[in-house]
Amino acid sequence: MPKLKTKSGVKKRFKLTATGLLKHGVAGKRHRLLHHNGKYIRQNRGTKVLAKADTAAVKAWAPYGLS
């Protein structure tokens, strides 16, 4: 049985926490920030934890986990 490949996009975009949750960056922070108010920019600073419904699919794309 050959080794399974990890999706290259998943390697770049997600990290595992110590408890097995997935962290991801928040969309909408790259450009055109003048159109967003300050509350939006503050609340989307840093990273968020991925929703439980999406976690199973992303973990299937990384069969050996994420470093």
Side-chain angles (χ1 to χ4, degrees):
M1 185 83 178
K3 292 187 206 174
L4 298 172
K5 288 193 173 185
T6 299
K7 292 267 188 187
S8 60
V10 171
K11 289 188 284 195
K12 299 169 192 173
R13 289 175 172 86
F14 298 98
K15 293 286 180 208
L16 267 176
T17 64
T19 57
L21 301 175
L22 285 166
K23 293 189 301 184
H24 68 94
V26 184
K29 298 188 305 185
R30 299 289 181 214
H31 55 89
R32 290 184 54 187
L33 293 177
L34 291 175
H35 297 281
H36 297 302
N37 57 25
K39 180 180 177 182
Y40 178 89
I41 294 170
R42 277 193 312 276
Q43 288 182 344
N44 288 324
R45 192 176 288 156
T47 57
K48 299 266 173 114
V49 174
L50 191 67
K52 197 172 182 180
D54 300 324
T55 302
V58 173
K59 282 186 176 179
W61 294 330
Y64 304 111
L66 297 164
S67 58

